[in-house]
Amino acid sequence: MPEWWSKLRRTLSGRRGLAADLNAEIESHLAFEIQENLARGMSPDDARSAARRHVGNLTRIEERAREAWSFPRIETFIQDLRYGLRGIRRSPGFSLVVIVTLALGIGANTAIFSVVNSVLLRPLPYPAAERLVWLGESDPKAEGISVTWVNYQHWRKENHSFEEMAGFHTAHLTLTGRGEPLFTRAGVVTSGFFRLVGAKPLLGRLFNTSEDRPGGIPTVVLSHRFWVDKLGADPRVQGAPLVLDGKPYEVAGVLPPGLRFFSPPVDFYLPLAQFDGETFDRGRHGSMRLVGRLKPRVTLAAALADLDLIMQRLAEADPGPESRHRAYGIFLAESDTGEIRPTLLILLGAVGLVLFIACANVAGLALARSTARAREMAIRTAVGAGRVRLVRQLLTENLLLAALGGLTGLLLAEWCLRALIGMGPRDIPRLAETTFDWQVGIFVGVITLLTGLFTGFAPIWTAGKSDLVGALKDGGRSATGGKSGHAVRGALVVAEIAITLALTFAAGLLVRSLIAAETANPGFAPEHVLALELVLPSASYSSPPAVEAFYDRLHRDLRDLPGVTAVGAVNCPPSAGDCGDWFYSILDGPAPQPGEVPIALFNTADRDYFSALRIPLREGRGFSDTVQRGAPSVPRVAIVNETFARKWWPKASAVGHRIKSGGPYRDGPIYEIVGVAGDVSQMGLDTEPLPEIYLPFSQSPSGAMVVMLRVNGDPQSLEPAVRRRVAEIDRNLPVESLRPFERSLAATLARRRFSTLLLALFAGLAMALAGVGVYGLLNYWVRVREEEIAIRLALGAPRPAILRWAGRQVLQLAAAGAALGMLAGWMASRWLESLVFGVSARSGATMAAAAAAVIGMAVIAAAIPVWRATQVDALDQLRHL
Amino acid sequence: MSTVDDPLERLEFLQGTLEVLILRSLQLGPNHAYGVTQFLERQSESEFVVDNGSLYPALQRLMQRGWITAQWKTSPNGRRAKYYRLTPAGRKQLVAATSKWRRFVEAMGRILAPEA
């Protein structure tokens, strides 16, 4: 402790006095020696020089003594820092290039990492969120299907793996009696849900168990946003009535802001058991999924095995179509980021490679500079700088540059992040909440440090190898001195070219996929179509005839609008995704095994849907008005899509065959196929079509329909008129959405556009950086060879030979880089398979184009140095030799 | 060839030995740095050569630990020099270090002694 204290005091209290003291002491030491030597009979000059020799290197003694009474590390560090800053100021061009290059790399990485951190890494805002599991059922054909009420009850009571379990689903309800009718979204949850997500009421209370049962008092818990936006944050809202789908609910409480379990967010919460009613049919699937919290130290696999055991017992007691159902579960943190996860990880990898290229460039630059600094280093060594000291100083210099680059990068990242959030698709969870937090801070610190170390290794490596005498003698003029350095730079540039090629290949694949998706034939004509989405509240439209009457009248009224040429309605429009799939079987085909029952998308369309969207009929006929209202005498009919028809009757006609809904092991109606419609991109423009069955609206009316209006001219101009017509029929009916259909269609490609744009941006950045790398290397190569070129020219070499010589350097680099890059791209292509559409992930044409682009880049980047090589003025050079 | 020491090669100090030897040299009375080197070379019959690059840092370390103090004085022949002096703590440290070194040397000797 006192030792430490005296050191600190002396470090702080200046060293001048102590240094003077030490000097005086060594002076006196010398005087004693001289005196002794004189006494031995030496001449005064000899006595002095002998004493000097005997005492040793004064500077070194002083330095080491000083180290003993100070913190040498801190002092040297401060000194190194000062030297470093001086070095940065002395070569502003070099420093600027380094800082900008690193700032680009670090900035892009920081921005992408903060998105990954927020979307994938940051824990969900629930208590013990790492143990929360999303649960569904699975059968041999599908995973994550809904959990039946009976199964939920058994799981909840009989499992040994979960602390708690709750059921949830969403529902759409119409709010009336408070101004304009409002289309609202409810989270329908069991009473345990709020405990699982750790929600406490801001006002009032949450559901109690007496409400979460059939026949309880209808109550509703409001989300904070709904309470503020729609109810004016009324503090006396508790106990107030809310009319939903014509039924009065009592407001029990209000939640605090921030609960984002459902996406898109819900307006309020309703008790599930009361809302759905209880059923005792084990096969009765609704849309309920579960969320459960695992007990500590229970694995997900063990928990699922536990639930499967319950399922087996239930199957033995009550065999049936549900017998092969098992429990399915994934961690909640993965369930909502599952699709975006590979995309983000690929982007993070790509941007990491960009940083590597930036580092390689800086390392190459520093290496070239260190060859030029060989003389400086040699002088430093000659005046007594130790190897370790030199290395430390170079390292400090590099770390300082990296730190400046990192700071600039952080500013850049802040800006990039705002751009990312601005242009990012809305459906990426938590993207908008991305901020810089301490994890991002650590990330920036670590990559900055690594960058500094990586870019510093090359000069340090050569500093250790410097040939003292040679460097001092020829003053760093010889080109041979940097031979090993040049090999390292060459290898770095080859790596840069290879990485750029791989990135360009990946970006090329994505760009081609995007083009393929955008130009893919959607199977219908989306232009000049206005889509009107309506959901009829079941309270006021409780019977099929009421629903039908409404849509009949709407159809007629809209058809009469000037400019409207066709009106057709569908339950699930193209690119809306999966609105409901179900089992089926072909009646005249072999019966499938219980686990092999096929699944198809079920959709509902009216008579004019196909003609309004111009979906071609490939076979048979469309729906007609003559099949009315499912009268027992009239057979139920269906139209299937082409994929469905090809799957079962590749060579023959599908018309006339019969389908049984539910498959052979479940109850369900039988439909006769009357027509085959062309495929439409039901799941999105960048997906392959799935088998789909359309039922006629007249036989299976649905309250939720999207009415498509084909119009002359701009569909948007008709919007007010359409709204008026809807209100004329039912002024309590909210319009869920009304917009040109092309726009909803384009929105489905938002994610693809986002990731493609980013990857293309990174490939472009890599291309630019690699170009700078090639230019720097060749430029240096030519500069150190100017004399050699002059001699060659003087000895009679023609200028084209010089061109060939320099050109060979470039082509060798480019060829080596391209070969490596193609290999890397080929191997990486399987990571891209999930993102690629309409083009093979191993597309040779894309690879060839990427290789050509990268080699072209290398040739262009090298053009100026190579041209300069051929322009060397032999006479001028030789005169200066 | 057996490995026999070259008698012309001077011995190097083992880690930490120099500090004990400095303490020992100051046991006789205050001395300056040059005097310490002279004392050590004379007492070791020139087996040890004291490197000033090690001596001065060692002196600094001993001062920091409070085992010696220093003062500028005039030497008997009229030169000004910095004289180092043992403190009571330094005396205690010397006793402890001496007995430790004895044990160390004896142990080394027992191990390195040729088989009887």
Side-chain angles (χ1 to χ4, degrees), chain A residues 2-3 6-7 10 21-22 24-26 28-29 31-33 35-36 54-55 60-61 64-65 68-70, chain B residues 32-34 37-38 41 51-57 59-61 64-65 72 75 77 79-82 84:
Chain A
E3 182 179 347
S6 77
K7 276 186 177 187
R10 292 195 178 187
D21 190 70
L22 193 68
E25 190 177 2
I26 293 171
S28 91
H29 188 132
F32 278 116
E33 294 233 11
Q35 196 176 10
E36 190 112 322
H54 192 236
V55 169
R60 199 174 65 96
I61 296 174
R64 293 191 53 183
W69 49 251
S70 63
Chain B
H32 45 69
Y34 177 68
T37 60
Q38 292 297 101
E41 285 181 19
D51 173 18
N52 288 316
S54 309
L55 177 70
Y56 281 94
L59 286 168
Q60 297 293 344
R61 278 195 294 275
Q64 278 159 9
R65 287 173 200 162
W72 283 93
S75 73
N77 56 16
R79 291 196 175 278
R80 293 216 12 109
K82 199 175 182 182
Y84 296 92

Side-chain angles (χ1 to χ4, degrees), chain A residues 194-252:
Chain A
F194 293 113
R195 267 197 308 280
L196 270 165
V197 299
K200 302 255 182 329
L202 182 74
L203 270 183
R205 57 174 183 81
L206 305 174
F207 304 131
N208 53 39
T209 34
S210 73
E211 282 152 2
D212 186 24
R213 82 156 67 113
I217 306 162
T219 48
V220 54
V221 170
L222 305 179
S223 79
H224 191 264
R225 212 187 49 174
F226 184 79
W227 176 59
V228 171
D229 290 356
K230 299 295 182 322
L231 302 180
D234 176 8
R236 288 184 309 273
V237 73
Q238 201 190 349
L242 216 56
V243 180
L244 299 170
D245 273 5
K247 181 178 170 190
Y249 285 75
E250 188 185 309
V251 174

Side-chain angles (χ1 to χ4, degrees), chain A residues 734-747:
Chain A
V735 170
E736 155 93 274
S737 81
L738 175 63
R739 56 176 176 172
F741 190 57
E742 260 183 310
R743 214 177 297 162
S744 348
L745 211 55

Side-chain angles (χ1 to χ4, degrees), chain B residues 5-20:
Chain B
D5 264 354
D6 175 0
L8 291 179
E9 190 189 25
R10 302 263 182 97
L11 293 177
E12 294 207 357
F13 288 108
L14 292 172
Q15 184 78 39
T17 48
L18 180 59
E19 288 172 23
V20 189

Side-chain angles (χ1 to χ4, degrees), chain A residues 63 294 535 607 834 852 867:
Chain A
E63 212 163 63
L294 290 173
V535 181
R607 187 194 57 187
S834 65
W867 177 77

Side-chain angles (χ1 to χ4, degrees), chain A residues 375-455:
Chain A
R375 193 179 160 84
E376 178 195 335
M377 290 302 150
I379 291 174
R380 286 190 188 204
T381 314
V383 299
R387 165 98 199 276
V388 177
R389 187 74 178 64
L390 271 185
V391 165
R392 196 157 57 191
Q393 205 238 300
L394 282 173
L395 209 55
T396 313
E397 229 179 279
N398 273 295
L399 286 175
L400 196 62
L401 276 174
L404 288 174
L407 278 178
T408 321
L410 206 57
L411 296 177
L412 197 67
E414 168 79 48
W415 182 80
C416 289
L417 188 59
R418 248 177 274 151
L420 273 181
I421 295 173
M423 72 180 191
R426 300 277 161 272
D427 62 344
I428 297 182
R430 294 184 297 282
L431 175 66
E433 299 155 40
T434 304
T435 48
F436 291 148
D437 55 11
W438 61 270
Q439 283 108 327
V440 175
I442 287 177
F443 176 81
V444 176
V446 167
I447 64 169
T448 303
L449 192 69
L450 289 179
T451 304
L453 293 177
F454 177 76
T455 56

